[in-house]
Amino acid sequence: MPVGTLATVKGVSPAQLADTGAQMVLANTYHLHLQPGEGIVAEAGGLHRFMGWSGPLLTDSGGFQVFSLGAINRISDHGVVFRSPRDGRRIELTPERSMEIQMALGADVAMAFDQCPPYPATEADVAAASRRTHAWLERCLASHNRPDQALFGIVQGGCFPALRRESARVVASLGLPGIAVGGVSVGEPVEEMHRIVREVGPLLPEPIPHYLMGVGSLREMAVAVAEGFDLFDCVLPTRLGRHGSALVGGERWNLKNARFRHDHTPLDPSCPCPACRQHSRAYLHHLVRSEEMLGRTLLSLHNLTTLLRFTTAMARAIREGCFAEDFAPWDPASPAAHTW
Ligand SMILES: [Zn+2]
C-alpha cells in the first residue's frame, strides 16, 4: 500500500497512482483529523470521493503518530491526551474516538487503536503497552459499528518473544477479518525484525490477511511474505523520490550524482513507468538538480512501480513455485528472473 498520508500520495495523481499497479492505499487518521478534519471528509461523501481514489483504502488508528509525533500530556488506560502540533489545542484520542474518526473517514479497512512502545523499551513497559492494546482492541470492537468497514486488530509485544506470542494469541482469538503486526520498523536492528516476523507469522490465523505495518523494503517484504504476510505500507518510495533517489536493481541511486549528467539511457530499461519509458537519466538528473516538481513526481512514480512490480513478481513466483526469501527477480541468475 503506497502511503497517502493527507489523502494524497505525495506528488502523484490518482490516475498516475493506478498506473503504477497500486491496488490499495493507506491514509493517516491522525493527520486527517488535524487537517482538514473528518467532518469535511464525511461531508464530501467519504475518503474515496474526497481524494478521487475508487480502489480500496485503509486508515491507521492514529496511535503510532500520537506516540511518535505528538507532544503527549497524558497516557492512561482511558486514552491519550496530546497537544496539536498545528495550533496547540488539546486533543484526546481514545479507542472510541479513533473508531468515530475512522468511521467518518469511511475507508474500507480501519485499524484498532493501539499503543506502540518505542525501541528500546523495558520488558515491563512493553508488557503494559500490550495489555493496554488488548483492552483497547475490545473497546474498538464494542464501538465500531460500520458494517461496510473491516476492523483489523494489531499484535504488539516489542522484541520479547513471550509477549509477542501472548499478543498474537489474544488478537487471533477475536475472529477479526484481518490482523496486523505493529511495533516493527521502529528503530530495532533489522535482524530483530526478521526474528519477530519469523516467530509471529506462523501464529496468525491462516485464512485472513496478515499486515506487517510500516515495512516496505524489498528484502524485508520477501522475508515476511515467506512467513505468510500479505499487506505492507511504507513511505519509502515517495520519500526517496522527493529526495532525488531511485530504486534500481535492488539498489538506491542518488540522481543528483554527477555520473548521470551525460547518461542518456533510461533509468531502468526493464521498467514500464513513465520516467523510464519517456525520459533519460540525464534528464532526471537535470530535473533533480534544478529542484523541478516533475523530477520528484517521475522518481516517485518509478519507485512505486518498482515496489509494486516486486510484490507482483513475488505473487507470480509463489504460484509458479520459484519464490525464495532472497528473492531478486531482476538478477538473470535467479530462477524467478522471468517474473520481472
Ligand atoms: Zn521506472
Side-chain angles (χ1 to χ4, degrees), residues 9-215:
V9 174
K10 290 189 195 307
V12 172
S13 75
Q16 289 172 319
L17 186 60
D19 285 342
T20 66
Q23 295 177 341
M24 189 163 183
V25 175
L26 176 146
N28 292 117
T29 293
Y30 171 88
H31 294 287
L32 289 170
H33 173 63
L34 297 180
Q35 164 67 34
E38 63 277 10
I40 305 276
V41 176
E43 206 176 273
L47 200 49
H48 295 87
R49 282 207 196 149
F50 186 58
M51 67 185 281
W53 176 257
S54 54
L57 284 169
L58 176 147
T59 45
D60 64 3
S61 70
F64 181 78
Q65 282 76 20
V66 168
F67 288 107
S68 60
L69 304 176
I72 294 180
N73 288 15
R74 196 183 71 230
I75 306 172
S76 68
D77 288 339
H78 183 63
V80 185
V81 178
F82 63 100
R83 293 216 166 272
S84 161
R86 297 186 77 88
D87 53 15
R89 98 190 130 98
R90 179 187 178 280
I91 301 175
E92 181 169 49
L93 210 49
T94 62
E96 291 78 14
R97 188 78 189 99
S98 173
M99 291 302 103
E100 236 174 69
I101 298 170
Q102 292 189 76
M103 286 190 285
L105 292 172
D108 304 279
V109 178
M111 296 302 300
F113 189 63
D114 64 327
Q115 181 173 357
C116 178
Y119 180 90
T122 65
E123 187 162 4
D125 285 348
V126 176
S130 281
R131 273 196 303 277
R132 190 171 275 156
T133 293
H134 302 154
W136 284 356
L137 174 55
E138 303 231 352
R139 282 164 58 189
C140 288
L141 273 165
S143 58
H144 185 268
N145 57 14
R146 199 176 157 150
D148 62 344
Q149 184 178 61
L151 174 62
F152 286 13
I154 303 177
V155 173
Q156 287 289 349
C159 292
F160 302 99
L163 294 178
R164 282 286 178 188
R165 278 197 299 276
E166 170 65 6
S167 189
R169 189 190 63 73
V170 171
V171 180
S173 71
L174 294 168
L176 297 162
I179 193 161
V181 172
V184 289
S185 201
V186 291
E188 76 283 11
V190 75
E191 299 74 27
E192 277 289 288
M193 190 214 287
H194 292 176
R195 191 179 57 73
I196 295 167
V197 162
R198 290 189 176 116
E199 282 170 5
V200 179
L203 304 176
L204 308 180
E206 182 71 26
I208 59 172
H210 302 170
Y211 166 24
L212 188 62
M213 303 180 81
V215 171

Side-chain angles (χ1 to χ4, degrees), residues 2 12 15-22 273 300-302 304-306 308-309:
V12 172
Q16 289 172 319
L17 186 60
D19 285 342
T20 66
C273 88
S300 296
L301 288 173
H302 168 76
L304 287 165
T305 302
T306 300
L308 291 157
R309 278 175 85 197

Side-chain angles (χ1 to χ4, degrees), residues 247 267-268 271-277 298 301-303 305-306 309:
L247 298 164
L267 181 58
D268 176 350
C271 178
C273 88
C276 297
R277 265 199 341 266
L298 287 172
L301 288 173
H302 168 76
N303 291 339
T305 302
T306 300
R309 278 175 85 197

